[in-house]
Amino acid sequence: EVQLVESGGGLVKPGGSLRLSCAASGVTFSNAWMSWVRQAPGKGLEWVGRIRSKSGGGTTDYAAPVKGRFTISRDDSKNTLFLQMNSLKTEDTAVYYCTTLFYWGQGTLVTVPS
Amino acid sequence: SSELTQDPAVSVALGQTVRITCQGDSLRSYYPSWFQQKPGQPPLLVIFGENDRPSGIPDRFSGSISGNTASLTIAGAQAGDEADYYCQSRDISYNHLVFGGGTKLTVL
C-alpha cells in the first residue's frame, strides 16, 4: 500500500519559514516525480512545484507565486520529500499535499495569519 | 495560455449522466487528468491519459477530448459521486502543471 505522510505544518508569522516533509512508503520513491500541491481554505487546488527523479534530471520547477521563496528537495535514501518555505505570506495559508498525482498524502496545514 | 477553465457548479439527477468540461489551450497537446475531491479528503485520481482509470475507479467514469475541451463523463450518477472535480494538465510554455478551478457536482 502506498502511503505519503506529510508533516511540519503549523502556525508561522508573516516573513517566517517552515519546512514540510513527506515520508513515502510502498512506492519506488527514487523513480517518482514528486509534486507539492496546496489548497487554500475553501478554494481550489494550486500546483506549487515539482522535483523530478534523479534519472529524470533531479531538477525542479515552481509556480510563479512561490518561485524564489520555496525550495523542493528530496532524500531518496530516506524516501522523503521536502518543501522549504521562506518569506511566508498570508496568502500561503493552505493545506499542502505531497503527491505523485497518482497518489496523495492527507495534507498538512500551514497557517500564516494576517 | 496556461489556464484551464471549468464551470463552477453542475447538477445531475440521480441515475442520469453528467458531463463536466475543462477548456484550455494546453489540452490541444496534452491529455488532462481528472481528480475527485470530497470534503475533508485529499484529491483522488479518477481519469488519466487518453481515458484510463486507476484501479478501483468504476467504468461509469470516462474521459474524452475534442480540440481544446476535455470532458469527464459520469454515467448513472450516484449520491457518492457528489464532490468537487478538478482537471489538470501542463502549461505548454513552462512545463508547469496547472489545475482547473474545479466543478462542484451536486446529485439531486
PDB file of all heavy atoms in Angstrom, chain A residues 5-7 19-23 34-38 46-51 62 70-73 80-84 96-99 104 107-108, chain B residues 97 99:
ATOM      1  N   VAL A   5       2.976  10.649   3.756  1.00  0.00           N
ATOM      2  CA  VAL A   5       2.593  11.256   5.022  1.00  0.00           C
ATOM      3  C   VAL A   5       3.348  12.564   5.205  1.00  0.00           C
ATOM      4  O   VAL A   5       4.567  12.576   5.383  1.00  0.00           O
ATOM      5  CB  VAL A   5       2.881  10.317   6.212  1.00  0.00           C
ATOM      6  CG1 VAL A   5       2.464  10.989   7.517  1.00  0.00           C
ATOM      7  CG2 VAL A   5       2.152   8.991   6.029  1.00  0.00           C
ATOM      8  N   GLU A   6       2.589  13.657   5.146  1.00  0.00           N
ATOM      9  CA  GLU A   6       3.175  14.985   5.310  1.00  0.00           C
ATOM     10  C   GLU A   6       3.277  15.343   6.788  1.00  0.00           C
ATOM     11  O   GLU A   6       2.456  14.905   7.606  1.00  0.00           O
ATOM     12  CB  GLU A   6       2.331  16.051   4.598  1.00  0.00           C
ATOM     13  CG  GLU A   6       2.142  15.839   3.112  1.00  0.00           C
ATOM     14  CD  GLU A   6       0.854  15.099   2.796  1.00  0.00           C
ATOM     15  OE1 GLU A   6       0.339  14.408   3.696  1.00  0.00           O
ATOM     16  OE2 GLU A   6       0.370  15.211   1.656  1.00  0.00           O
ATOM     17  N   SER A   7       4.253  16.171   7.088  1.00  0.00           N
ATOM     18  CA  SER A   7       4.407  16.698   8.443  1.00  0.00           C
ATOM     19  C   SER A   7       5.102  18.042   8.371  1.00  0.00           C
ATOM     20  O   SER A   7       5.634  18.410   7.322  1.00  0.00           O
ATOM     21  CB  SER A   7       5.209  15.720   9.316  1.00  0.00           C
ATOM     22  OG  SER A   7       6.505  15.534   8.787  1.00  0.00           O
ATOM     23  N   ARG A  19       9.504  24.222   7.181  1.00  0.00           N
ATOM     24  CA  ARG A  19       9.949  23.126   6.325  1.00  0.00           C
ATOM     25  C   ARG A  19       8.981  21.965   6.454  1.00  0.00           C
ATOM     26  O   ARG A  19       8.799  21.425   7.544  1.00  0.00           O
ATOM     27  CB  ARG A  19      11.350  22.668   6.712  1.00  0.00           C
ATOM     28  CG  ARG A  19      11.964  21.676   5.724  1.00  0.00           C
ATOM     29  CD  ARG A  19      13.178  21.010   6.317  1.00  0.00           C
ATOM     30  NE  ARG A  19      14.052  20.430   5.297  1.00  0.00           N
ATOM     31  CZ  ARG A  19      14.935  19.458   5.523  1.00  0.00           C
ATOM     32  NH1 ARG A  19      15.063  18.963   6.750  1.00  0.00           N
ATOM     33  NH2 ARG A  19      15.691  18.991   4.545  1.00  0.00           N
ATOM     34  N   LEU A  20       8.377  21.607   5.351  1.00  0.00           N
ATOM     35  CA  LEU A  20       7.478  20.462   5.316  1.00  0.00           C
ATOM     36  C   LEU A  20       8.237  19.226   4.863  1.00  0.00           C
ATOM     37  O   LEU A  20       9.163  19.319   4.051  1.00  0.00           O
ATOM     38  CB  LEU A  20       6.307  20.703   4.370  1.00  0.00           C
ATOM     39  CG  LEU A  20       5.482  21.976   4.596  1.00  0.00           C
ATOM     40  CD1 LEU A  20       4.312  22.002   3.618  1.00  0.00           C
ATOM     41  CD2 LEU A  20       5.026  22.088   6.020  1.00  0.00           C
ATOM     42  N   SER A  21       7.824  18.087   5.386  1.00  0.00           N
ATOM     43  CA  SER A  21       8.388  16.807   4.973  1.00  0.00           C
ATOM     44  C   SER A  21       7.264  15.895   4.490  1.00  0.00           C
ATOM     45  O   SER A  21       6.106  16.053   4.887  1.00  0.00           O
ATOM     46  CB  SER A  21       9.123  16.134   6.128  1.00  0.00           C
ATOM     47  OG  SER A  21      10.187  16.915   6.596  1.00  0.00           O
ATOM     48  N   CYS A  22       7.618  14.954   3.666  1.00  0.00           N
ATOM     49  CA  CYS A  22       6.664  13.962   3.172  1.00  0.00           C
ATOM     50  C   CYS A  22       7.389  12.620   3.136  1.00  0.00           C
ATOM     51  O   CYS A  22       8.320  12.442   2.344  1.00  0.00           O
ATOM     52  CB  CYS A  22       6.153  14.338   1.794  1.00  0.00           C
ATOM     53  SG  CYS A  22       5.193  13.044   0.970  1.00  0.00           S
ATOM     54  N   ALA A  23       6.970  11.707   3.985  1.00  0.00           N
ATOM     55  CA  ALA A  23       7.568  10.377   4.043  1.00  0.00           C
ATOM     56  C   ALA A  23       6.773   9.427   3.158  1.00  0.00           C
ATOM     57  O   ALA A  23       5.553   9.307   3.304  1.00  0.00           O
ATOM     58  CB  ALA A  23       7.579   9.879   5.471  1.00  0.00           C
ATOM     59  N   MET A  34       7.885  13.995  -7.928  1.00  0.00           N
ATOM     60  CA  MET A  34       7.049  14.382  -6.802  1.00  0.00           C
ATOM     61  C   MET A  34       6.646  15.849  -6.905  1.00  0.00           C
ATOM     62  O   MET A  34       7.456  16.707  -7.262  1.00  0.00           O
ATOM     63  CB  MET A  34       7.788  14.157  -5.488  1.00  0.00           C
ATOM     64  CG  MET A  34       8.218  12.725  -5.232  1.00  0.00           C
ATOM     65  SD  MET A  34       6.826  11.602  -5.057  1.00  0.00           S
ATOM     66  CE  MET A  34       5.958  12.308  -3.654  1.00  0.00           C
ATOM     67  N   SER A  35       5.404  16.119  -6.565  1.00  0.00           N
ATOM     68  CA  SER A  35       4.903  17.493  -6.565  1.00  0.00           C
ATOM     69  C   SER A  35       4.358  17.868  -5.187  1.00  0.00           C
ATOM     70  O   SER A  35       3.973  16.991  -4.392  1.00  0.00           O
ATOM     71  CB  SER A  35       3.769  17.664  -7.591  1.00  0.00           C
ATOM     72  OG  SER A  35       4.232  17.730  -8.909  1.00  0.00           O
ATOM     73  N   TRP A  36       4.332  19.161  -4.940  1.00  0.00           N
ATOM     74  CA  TRP A  36       3.569  19.733  -3.835  1.00  0.00           C
ATOM     75  C   TRP A  36       2.400  20.506  -4.454  1.00  0.00           C
ATOM     76  O   TRP A  36       2.593  21.270  -5.411  1.00  0.00           O
ATOM     77  CB  TRP A  36       4.422  20.666  -2.990  1.00  0.00           C
ATOM     78  CG  TRP A  36       5.435  19.978  -2.140  1.00  0.00           C
ATOM     79  CD1 TRP A  36       6.754  19.780  -2.423  1.00  0.00           C
ATOM     80  CD2 TRP A  36       5.218  19.400  -0.843  1.00  0.00           C
ATOM     81  NE1 TRP A  36       7.367  19.102  -1.394  1.00  0.00           N
ATOM     82  CE2 TRP A  36       6.452  18.857  -0.409  1.00  0.00           C
ATOM     83  CE3 TRP A  36       4.105  19.274  -0.010  1.00  0.00           C
ATOM     84  CZ2 TRP A  36       6.603  18.208   0.827  1.00  0.00           C
ATOM     85  CZ3 TRP A  36       4.245  18.628   1.208  1.00  0.00           C
ATOM     86  CH2 TRP A  36       5.480  18.104   1.621  1.00  0.00           C
ATOM     87  N   VAL A  37       1.226  20.280  -3.908  1.00  0.00           N
ATOM     88  CA  VAL A  37       0.011  20.968  -4.336  1.00  0.00           C
ATOM     89  C   VAL A  37      -0.641  21.527  -3.081  1.00  0.00           C
ATOM     90  O   VAL A  37      -0.686  20.851  -2.055  1.00  0.00           O
ATOM     91  CB  VAL A  37      -0.950  19.992  -5.054  1.00  0.00           C
ATOM     92  CG1 VAL A  37      -2.301  20.662  -5.350  1.00  0.00           C
ATOM     93  CG2 VAL A  37      -0.321  19.473  -6.349  1.00  0.00           C
ATOM     94  N   ARG A  38      -1.135  22.750  -3.143  1.00  0.00           N
ATOM     95  CA  ARG A  38      -1.763  23.338  -1.971  1.00  0.00           C
ATOM     96  C   ARG A  38      -3.208  23.711  -2.250  1.00  0.00           C
ATOM     97  O   ARG A  38      -3.620  23.842  -3.404  1.00  0.00           O
ATOM     98  CB  ARG A  38      -0.967  24.546  -1.486  1.00  0.00           C
ATOM     99  CG  ARG A  38      -0.995  25.742  -2.408  1.00  0.00           C
ATOM    100  CD  ARG A  38      -0.084  26.849  -1.853  1.00  0.00           C
ATOM    101  NE  ARG A  38      -0.071  28.037  -2.709  1.00  0.00           N
ATOM    102  CZ  ARG A  38       0.677  29.108  -2.486  1.00  0.00           C
ATOM    103  NH1 ARG A  38       1.484  29.150  -1.414  1.00  0.00           N
ATOM    104  NH2 ARG A  38       0.621  30.153  -3.296  1.00  0.00           N
ATOM    105  N   GLU A  46      -3.976  24.185  -6.154  1.00  0.00           N
ATOM    106  CA  GLU A  46      -2.939  25.003  -6.792  1.00  0.00           C
ATOM    107  C   GLU A  46      -1.627  24.238  -6.769  1.00  0.00           C
ATOM    108  O   GLU A  46      -1.125  23.882  -5.693  1.00  0.00           O
ATOM    109  CB  GLU A  46      -2.777  26.347  -6.081  1.00  0.00           C
ATOM    110  CG  GLU A  46      -1.722  27.233  -6.703  1.00  0.00           C
ATOM    111  CD  GLU A  46      -1.479  28.524  -5.926  1.00  0.00           C
ATOM    112  OE1 GLU A  46      -1.825  28.569  -4.741  1.00  0.00           O
ATOM    113  OE2 GLU A  46      -0.917  29.468  -6.510  1.00  0.00           O
ATOM    114  N   TRP A  47      -1.063  24.003  -7.927  1.00  0.00           N
ATOM    115  CA  TRP A  47       0.240  23.349  -8.013  1.00  0.00           C
ATOM    116  C   TRP A  47       1.312  24.299  -7.503  1.00  0.00           C
ATOM    117  O   TRP A  47       1.355  25.469  -7.887  1.00  0.00           O
ATOM    118  CB  TRP A  47       0.516  22.954  -9.460  1.00  0.00           C
ATOM    119  CG  TRP A  47       1.837  22.317  -9.703  1.00  0.00           C
ATOM    120  CD1 TRP A  47       2.207  21.040  -9.392  1.00  0.00           C
ATOM    121  CD2 TRP A  47       2.966  22.918 -10.341  1.00  0.00           C
ATOM    122  NE1 TRP A  47       3.497  20.811  -9.801  1.00  0.00           N
ATOM    123  CE2 TRP A  47       3.988  21.948 -10.389  1.00  0.00           C
ATOM    124  CE3 TRP A  47       3.226  24.175 -10.890  1.00  0.00           C
ATOM    125  CZ2 TRP A  47       5.241  22.197 -10.944  1.00  0.00           C
ATOM    126  CZ3 TRP A  47       4.468  24.423 -11.448  1.00  0.00           C
ATOM    127  CH2 TRP A  47       5.464  23.433 -11.469  1.00  0.00           C
ATOM    128  N   VAL A  48       2.180  23.799  -6.630  1.00  0.00           N
ATOM    129  CA  VAL A  48       3.243  24.606  -6.028  1.00  0.00           C
ATOM    130  C   VAL A  48       4.569  24.386  -6.757  1.00  0.00           C
ATOM    131  O   VAL A  48       5.274  25.337  -7.105  1.00  0.00           O
ATOM    132  CB  VAL A  48       3.409  24.254  -4.538  1.00  0.00           C
ATOM    133  CG1 VAL A  48       4.636  24.919  -3.944  1.00  0.00           C
ATOM    134  CG2 VAL A  48       2.145  24.633  -3.762  1.00  0.00           C
ATOM    135  N   GLY A  49       4.890  23.128  -7.003  1.00  0.00           N
ATOM    136  CA  GLY A  49       6.155  22.834  -7.658  1.00  0.00           C
ATOM    137  C   GLY A  49       6.407  21.350  -7.735  1.00  0.00           C
ATOM    138  O   GLY A  49       5.630  20.541  -7.204  1.00  0.00           O
ATOM    139  N   ARG A  50       7.493  20.994  -8.394  1.00  0.00           N
ATOM    140  CA  ARG A  50       7.791  19.584  -8.663  1.00  0.00           C
ATOM    141  C   ARG A  50       9.282  19.358  -8.670  1.00  0.00           C
ATOM    142  O   ARG A  50      10.050  20.246  -9.059  1.00  0.00           O
ATOM    143  CB  ARG A  50       7.188  19.207 -10.019  1.00  0.00           C
ATOM    144  CG  ARG A  50       7.591  17.829 -10.533  1.00  0.00           C
ATOM    145  CD  ARG A  50       6.981  17.513 -11.883  1.00  0.00           C
ATOM    146  NE  ARG A  50       7.379  18.403 -12.937  1.00  0.00           N
ATOM    147  CZ  ARG A  50       6.828  18.414 -14.159  1.00  0.00           C
ATOM    148  NH1 ARG A  50       5.844  17.593 -14.431  1.00  0.00           N
ATOM    149  NH2 ARG A  50       7.246  19.260 -15.065  1.00  0.00           N
ATOM    150  N   ILE A  51       9.670  18.144  -8.282  1.00  0.00           N
ATOM    151  CA  ILE A  51      11.055  17.707  -8.427  1.00  0.00           C
ATOM    152  C   ILE A  51      11.058  16.394  -9.200  1.00  0.00           C
ATOM    153  O   ILE A  51      10.288  15.473  -8.899  1.00  0.00           O
ATOM    154  CB  ILE A  51      11.772  17.571  -7.059  1.00  0.00           C
ATOM    155  CG1 ILE A  51      13.258  17.263  -7.265  1.00  0.00           C
ATOM    156  CG2 ILE A  51      11.109  16.520  -6.170  1.00  0.00           C
ATOM    157  CD1 ILE A  51      14.096  17.462  -5.992  1.00  0.00           C
ATOM    158  N   TYR A  62       8.786  25.534 -10.329  1.00  0.00           N
ATOM    159  CA  TYR A  62       7.951  26.163  -9.317  1.00  0.00           C
ATOM    160  C   TYR A  62       6.887  27.040  -9.965  1.00  0.00           C
ATOM    161  O   TYR A  62       7.110  27.657 -11.014  1.00  0.00           O
ATOM    162  CB  TYR A  62       8.799  27.030  -8.380  1.00  0.00           C
ATOM    163  CG  TYR A  62       9.852  26.252  -7.635  1.00  0.00           C
ATOM    164  CD1 TYR A  62      11.154  26.157  -8.121  1.00  0.00           C
ATOM    165  CD2 TYR A  62       9.540  25.598  -6.447  1.00  0.00           C
ATOM    166  CE1 TYR A  62      12.115  25.433  -7.443  1.00  0.00           C
ATOM    167  CE2 TYR A  62      10.495  24.867  -5.757  1.00  0.00           C
ATOM    168  CZ  TYR A  62      11.784  24.786  -6.269  1.00  0.00           C
ATOM    169  OH  TYR A  62      12.736  24.052  -5.598  1.00  0.00           O
ATOM    170  N   PHE A  70      10.218  29.330  -2.215  1.00  0.00           N
ATOM    171  CA  PHE A  70      10.077  27.921  -1.837  1.00  0.00           C
ATOM    172  C   PHE A  70      11.137  27.088  -2.554  1.00  0.00           C
ATOM    173  O   PHE A  70      11.503  27.382  -3.698  1.00  0.00           O
ATOM    174  CB  PHE A  70       8.704  27.388  -2.229  1.00  0.00           C
ATOM    175  CG  PHE A  70       7.547  27.925  -1.408  1.00  0.00           C
ATOM    176  CD1 PHE A  70       7.692  29.013  -0.555  1.00  0.00           C
ATOM    177  CD2 PHE A  70       6.302  27.327  -1.505  1.00  0.00           C
ATOM    178  CE1 PHE A  70       6.636  29.494   0.192  1.00  0.00           C
ATOM    179  CE2 PHE A  70       5.217  27.789  -0.762  1.00  0.00           C
ATOM    180  CZ  PHE A  70       5.398  28.881   0.083  1.00  0.00           C
ATOM    181  N   THR A  71      11.600  26.039  -1.871  1.00  0.00           N
ATOM    182  CA  THR A  71      12.573  25.117  -2.457  1.00  0.00           C
ATOM    183  C   THR A  71      12.147  23.680  -2.177  1.00  0.00           C
ATOM    184  O   THR A  71      11.892  23.321  -1.023  1.00  0.00           O
ATOM    185  CB  THR A  71      13.980  25.353  -1.886  1.00  0.00           C
ATOM    186  OG1 THR A  71      14.376  26.700  -2.132  1.00  0.00           O
ATOM    187  CG2 THR A  71      14.980  24.396  -2.533  1.00  0.00           C
ATOM    188  N   ILE A  72      12.074  22.895  -3.232  1.00  0.00           N
ATOM    189  CA  ILE A  72      11.746  21.476  -3.107  1.00  0.00           C
ATOM    190  C   ILE A  72      13.030  20.668  -3.203  1.00  0.00           C
ATOM    191  O   ILE A  72      13.878  20.928  -4.074  1.00  0.00           O
ATOM    192  CB  ILE A  72      10.767  21.027  -4.206  1.00  0.00           C
ATOM    193  CG1 ILE A  72       9.450  21.808  -4.099  1.00  0.00           C
ATOM    194  CG2 ILE A  72      10.501  19.528  -4.109  1.00  0.00           C
ATOM    195  CD1 ILE A  72       8.488  21.543  -5.244  1.00  0.00           C
ATOM    196  N   SER A  73      13.166  19.694  -2.316  1.00  0.00           N
ATOM    197  CA  SER A  73      14.313  18.798  -2.357  1.00  0.00           C
ATOM    198  C   SER A  73      13.859  17.399  -1.976  1.00  0.00           C
ATOM    199  O   SER A  73      12.717  17.194  -1.555  1.00  0.00           O
ATOM    200  CB  SER A  73      15.424  19.283  -1.422  1.00  0.00           C
ATOM    201  OG  SER A  73      14.951  19.315  -0.079  1.00  0.00           O
ATOM    202  N   THR A  80      12.082  10.508   1.362  1.00  0.00           N
ATOM    203  CA  THR A  80      11.459  11.706   1.915  1.00  0.00           C
ATOM    204  C   THR A  80      11.579  12.889   0.966  1.00  0.00           C
ATOM    205  O   THR A  80      12.625  13.129   0.370  1.00  0.00           O
ATOM    206  CB  THR A  80      12.075  12.056   3.283  1.00  0.00           C
ATOM    207  OG1 THR A  80      11.936  10.941   4.160  1.00  0.00           O
ATOM    208  CG2 THR A  80      11.361  13.263   3.895  1.00  0.00           C
ATOM    209  N   LEU A  81      10.472  13.614   0.862  1.00  0.00           N
ATOM    210  CA  LEU A  81      10.384  14.829   0.066  1.00  0.00           C
ATOM    211  C   LEU A  81      10.289  16.017   1.021  1.00  0.00           C
ATOM    212  O   LEU A  81       9.688  15.896   2.095  1.00  0.00           O
ATOM    213  CB  LEU A  81       9.133  14.761  -0.808  1.00  0.00           C
ATOM    214  CG  LEU A  81       8.797  15.962  -1.684  1.00  0.00           C
ATOM    215  CD1 LEU A  81       9.765  16.050  -2.862  1.00  0.00           C
ATOM    216  CD2 LEU A  81       7.351  15.860  -2.186  1.00  0.00           C
ATOM    217  N   PHE A  82      10.869  17.144   0.624  1.00  0.00           N
ATOM    218  CA  PHE A  82      10.852  18.324   1.472  1.00  0.00           C
ATOM    219  C   PHE A  82      10.320  19.539   0.701  1.00  0.00           C
ATOM    220  O   PHE A  82      10.440  19.619  -0.526  1.00  0.00           O
ATOM    221  CB  PHE A  82      12.263  18.642   1.980  1.00  0.00           C
ATOM    222  CG  PHE A  82      12.891  17.537   2.769  1.00  0.00           C
ATOM    223  CD1 PHE A  82      13.838  16.705   2.175  1.00  0.00           C
ATOM    224  CD2 PHE A  82      12.550  17.318   4.089  1.00  0.00           C
ATOM    225  CE1 PHE A  82      14.420  15.672   2.881  1.00  0.00           C
ATOM    226  CE2 PHE A  82      13.124  16.280   4.808  1.00  0.00           C
ATOM    227  CZ  PHE A  82      14.061  15.456   4.203  1.00  0.00           C
ATOM    228  N   LEU A  83       9.750  20.462   1.461  1.00  0.00           N
ATOM    229  CA  LEU A  83       9.380  21.765   0.927  1.00  0.00           C
ATOM    230  C   LEU A  83       9.839  22.813   1.935  1.00  0.00           C
ATOM    231  O   LEU A  83       9.270  22.919   3.025  1.00  0.00           O
ATOM    232  CB  LEU A  83       7.876  21.861   0.692  1.00  0.00           C
ATOM    233  CG  LEU A  83       7.389  23.221   0.172  1.00  0.00           C
ATOM    234  CD1 LEU A  83       7.964  23.512  -1.219  1.00  0.00           C
ATOM    235  CD2 LEU A  83       5.853  23.289   0.122  1.00  0.00           C
ATOM    236  N   GLN A  84      10.881  23.536   1.568  1.00  0.00           N
ATOM    237  CA  GLN A  84      11.362  24.636   2.399  1.00  0.00           C
ATOM    238  C   GLN A  84      10.643  25.903   1.966  1.00  0.00           C
ATOM    239  O   GLN A  84      10.719  26.290   0.794  1.00  0.00           O
ATOM    240  CB  GLN A  84      12.877  24.813   2.247  1.00  0.00           C
ATOM    241  CG  GLN A  84      13.451  25.980   3.026  1.00  0.00           C
ATOM    242  CD  GLN A  84      13.359  25.779   4.525  1.00  0.00           C
ATOM    243  OE1 GLN A  84      13.646  24.694   5.034  1.00  0.00           O
ATOM    244  NE2 GLN A  84      12.960  26.825   5.241  1.00  0.00           N
ATOM    245  N   TYR A  96      -1.177  21.715   2.455  1.00  0.00           N
ATOM    246  CA  TYR A  96      -0.143  21.349   1.491  1.00  0.00           C
ATOM    247  C   TYR A  96      -0.120  19.832   1.340  1.00  0.00           C
ATOM    248  O   TYR A  96       0.041  19.096   2.330  1.00  0.00           O
ATOM    249  CB  TYR A  96       1.220  21.867   1.936  1.00  0.00           C
ATOM    250  CG  TYR A  96       1.364  23.352   1.719  1.00  0.00           C
ATOM    251  CD1 TYR A  96       0.707  24.264   2.532  1.00  0.00           C
ATOM    252  CD2 TYR A  96       2.142  23.858   0.670  1.00  0.00           C
ATOM    253  CE1 TYR A  96       0.803  25.626   2.321  1.00  0.00           C
ATOM    254  CE2 TYR A  96       2.252  25.227   0.450  1.00  0.00           C
ATOM    255  CZ  TYR A  96       1.581  26.095   1.277  1.00  0.00           C
ATOM    256  OH  TYR A  96       1.681  27.451   1.062  1.00  0.00           O
ATOM    257  N   TYR A  97      -0.302  19.384   0.095  1.00  0.00           N
ATOM    258  CA  TYR A  97      -0.302  17.968  -0.219  1.00  0.00           C
ATOM    259  C   TYR A  97       0.989  17.585  -0.937  1.00  0.00           C
ATOM    260  O   TYR A  97       1.443  18.293  -1.849  1.00  0.00           O
ATOM    261  CB  TYR A  97      -1.468  17.616  -1.145  1.00  0.00           C
ATOM    262  CG  TYR A  97      -2.846  17.789  -0.570  1.00  0.00           C
ATOM    263  CD1 TYR A  97      -3.632  18.886  -0.912  1.00  0.00           C
ATOM    264  CD2 TYR A  97      -3.383  16.841   0.295  1.00  0.00           C
ATOM    265  CE1 TYR A  97      -4.912  19.041  -0.406  1.00  0.00           C
ATOM    266  CE2 TYR A  97      -4.665  16.987   0.809  1.00  0.00           C
ATOM    267  CZ  TYR A  97      -5.416  18.085   0.451  1.00  0.00           C
ATOM    268  OH  TYR A  97      -6.691  18.220   0.954  1.00  0.00           O
ATOM    269  N   CYS A  98       1.507  16.460  -0.567  1.00  0.00           N
ATOM    270  CA  CYS A  98       2.605  15.802  -1.270  1.00  0.00           C
ATOM    271  C   CYS A  98       1.955  14.780  -2.203  1.00  0.00           C
ATOM    272  O   CYS A  98       1.041  14.046  -1.791  1.00  0.00           O
ATOM    273  CB  CYS A  98       3.485  15.145  -0.216  1.00  0.00           C
ATOM    274  SG  CYS A  98       4.493  13.765  -0.726  1.00  0.00           S
ATOM    275  N   THR A  99       2.397  14.729  -3.454  1.00  0.00           N
ATOM    276  CA  THR A  99       1.697  13.865  -4.394  1.00  0.00           C
ATOM    277  C   THR A  99       2.575  13.434  -5.561  1.00  0.00           C
ATOM    278  O   THR A  99       3.465  14.163  -5.984  1.00  0.00           O
ATOM    279  CB  THR A  99       0.443  14.582  -4.938  1.00  0.00           C
ATOM    280  OG1 THR A  99      -0.213  13.739  -5.889  1.00  0.00           O
ATOM    281  CG2 THR A  99       0.780  15.908  -5.611  1.00  0.00           C
ATOM    282  N   TRP A 104      -1.750  10.568  -3.252  1.00  0.00           N
ATOM    283  CA  TRP A 104      -1.756  11.818  -2.498  1.00  0.00           C
ATOM    284  C   TRP A 104      -1.655  11.539  -1.012  1.00  0.00           C
ATOM    285  O   TRP A 104      -2.213  10.548  -0.519  1.00  0.00           O
ATOM    286  CB  TRP A 104      -3.056  12.595  -2.761  1.00  0.00           C
ATOM    287  CG  TRP A 104      -3.213  13.088  -4.154  1.00  0.00           C
ATOM    288  CD1 TRP A 104      -3.390  12.333  -5.282  1.00  0.00           C
ATOM    289  CD2 TRP A 104      -3.199  14.450  -4.590  1.00  0.00           C
ATOM    290  NE1 TRP A 104      -3.485  13.156  -6.383  1.00  0.00           N
ATOM    291  CE2 TRP A 104      -3.374  14.453  -5.989  1.00  0.00           C
ATOM    292  CE3 TRP A 104      -3.049  15.671  -3.922  1.00  0.00           C
ATOM    293  CZ2 TRP A 104      -3.414  15.630  -6.740  1.00  0.00           C
ATOM    294  CZ3 TRP A 104      -3.094  16.838  -4.665  1.00  0.00           C
ATOM    295  CH2 TRP A 104      -3.273  16.810  -6.059  1.00  0.00           C
ATOM    296  N   GLY A 107      -2.219  15.607   3.609  1.00  0.00           N
ATOM    297  CA  GLY A 107      -2.003  17.048   3.679  1.00  0.00           C
ATOM    298  C   GLY A 107      -1.609  17.530   5.064  1.00  0.00           C
ATOM    299  O   GLY A 107      -1.901  16.878   6.076  1.00  0.00           O
ATOM    300  N   THR A 108      -0.953  18.677   5.092  1.00  0.00           N
ATOM    301  CA  THR A 108      -0.584  19.328   6.350  1.00  0.00           C
ATOM    302  C   THR A 108      -0.926  20.804   6.226  1.00  0.00           C
ATOM    303  O   THR A 108      -0.682  21.419   5.178  1.00  0.00           O
ATOM    304  CB  THR A 108       0.907  19.103   6.689  1.00  0.00           C
ATOM    305  OG1 THR A 108       1.189  19.617   7.995  1.00  0.00           O
ATOM    306  CG2 THR A 108       1.832  19.768   5.678  1.00  0.00           C
TER     307      THR A 108
ATOM    308  N   LEU B  97       2.708  22.413 -14.080  1.00  0.00           N
ATOM    309  CA  LEU B  97       1.406  21.768 -14.009  1.00  0.00           C
ATOM    310  C   LEU B  97       0.367  22.822 -13.648  1.00  0.00           C
ATOM    311  O   LEU B  97       0.682  23.817 -12.985  1.00  0.00           O
ATOM    312  CB  LEU B  97       1.417  20.649 -12.964  1.00  0.00           C
ATOM    313  CG  LEU B  97       2.493  19.575 -13.144  1.00  0.00           C
ATOM    314  CD1 LEU B  97       2.312  18.475 -12.106  1.00  0.00           C
ATOM    315  CD2 LEU B  97       2.471  18.997 -14.547  1.00  0.00           C
ATOM    316  N   PHE B  99      -3.987  23.348 -12.635  1.00  0.00           N
ATOM    317  CA  PHE B  99      -5.304  22.795 -12.318  1.00  0.00           C
ATOM    318  C   PHE B  99      -6.397  23.746 -12.783  1.00  0.00           C
ATOM    319  O   PHE B  99      -6.217  24.975 -12.758  1.00  0.00           O
ATOM    320  CB  PHE B  99      -5.467  22.596 -10.809  1.00  0.00           C
ATOM    321  CG  PHE B  99      -4.688  21.441 -10.247  1.00  0.00           C
ATOM    322  CD1 PHE B  99      -3.405  21.625  -9.762  1.00  0.00           C
ATOM    323  CD2 PHE B  99      -5.236  20.168 -10.203  1.00  0.00           C
ATOM    324  CE1 PHE B  99      -2.672  20.569  -9.247  1.00  0.00           C
ATOM    325  CE2 PHE B  99      -4.524  19.100  -9.690  1.00  0.00           C
ATOM    326  CZ  PHE B  99      -3.230  19.300  -9.213  1.00  0.00           C
TER     327      PHE B  99
END
